[in-house]
Amino acid sequence: MNQQDGPDRREALQRDLGRQLGSRFSTAIVLFHTAAAERLGLNVTDYKCAEILLRQGPTHPGRLAAVTGMSTAATAQVLNRLEKAGLIRRETDATDRRRTIVHPVDDGVAQRELGQIFAGFGARVSAVVDDYDEEQLRTLTDFVGRVAEILEQETLTLRRGGDIRPPAGPARRTAAPRET
């Protein structure tokens, strides 16, 4: 084996990982979540808004609009559909009676159906995860968290009309690995 085999092989693995993540994996995720949303009679945007609310907790509709980049009118329509599906409830804000707070409903019929949808998926993913040792799991967790953070930042950059050119030079690690 000559010295170029190592770097060449690493570059090939990095390209393959990029293709798997950027194409196959991301498309599979979108299609899976679309199918889950359809089971609830929703579109994928509604479904992901419900997921954001469940993860972030109660908030004002304007905050959801800001997080998703949707107009307030589109957000209101999404909230109407989520309320009809039993995934949220609205309450008047006790500190400002003119405002509404949107609360995720995590114990309703729709959430139980989602639990059933994700049970099989979760079991199959758990079987895959079982193949990795603790150090590999730390690495995977770090990788997924860091890539998710980049996606969130890049989404904001795109929405704000920022520069989409890649940074000059090789990408540099800006943060130490996270402890899990």
Side-chain angles (χ1 to χ4, degrees):
M1 164 165 50
N2 67 42
Q3 288 182 333
Q4 287 190 321
D5 286 341
D8 288 346
R9 198 175 4 205
R10 179 177 172 82
E11 287 177 17
L13 284 169
Q14 287 174 326
R15 279 192 306 276
D16 188 42
L17 177 61
R19 280 191 295 272
Q20 291 289 333
L21 280 175
S23 181
R24 184 177 181 197
F25 188 73
S26 66
T27 299
I29 288 172
V30 168
L31 294 176
F32 177 78
H33 285 275
T34 300
E38 289 169 353
R39 283 292 283 268
L40 299 175
L42 299 171
N43 65 50
V44 73
T45 299
D46 297 347
Y47 171 74
K48 294 315 287 180
C49 285
E51 189 275 328
I52 290 167
L53 290 167
L54 194 60
R55 186 169 22 97
Q56 293 187 347
T59 192
H60 299 281
R63 174 75 180 123
L64 181 62
V67 167
T68 62
M70 293 188 303
S71 69
T72 54
T75 302
Q77 291 175 345
V78 167
L79 293 175
N80 287 339
R81 290 188 294 268
L82 292 178
E83 189 170 42
K84 183 177 178 184
L87 289 166
I88 65 154
R89 64 179 164 64
R90 300 180 214 203
E91 292 181 2
T92 302
D93 186 337
T95 61
D96 182 348
R97 311 268 318 142
R98 297 169 295 175
R99 292 177 61 162
T100 300
I101 298 179
V102 179
H103 294 267
V105 174
D106 59 0
D107 60 354
V109 172
Q111 283 297 342
R112 284 192 292 280
E113 178 148 4
L114 284 173
Q116 291 173 345
I117 290 169
F118 280 91
F121 172 77
R124 292 178 74 189
V125 170
S126 288
V128 171
V129 169
D130 286 345
D131 290 341
Y132 296 96
D133 65 34
E134 191 174 323
E135 183 61 30
Q136 290 171 318
L137 290 174
R138 271 196 286 279
T139 300
L140 288 168
T141 300
D142 174 66
F143 175 79
V144 170
R146 290 173 60 199
V147 170
E149 190 173 301
I150 290 168
L151 283 167
E152 291 162 354
Q153 292 169 353
E154 290 294 313
T155 299
L156 290 174
T157 298
L158 287 170
R159 288 213 172 105
R160 292 178 180 150
D163 190 357
I164 58 172
R165 289 177 293 163
R172 300 280 183 216
R173 181 179 218 159
T174 58
R178 294 186 190 112
E179 291 295 320
T180 55

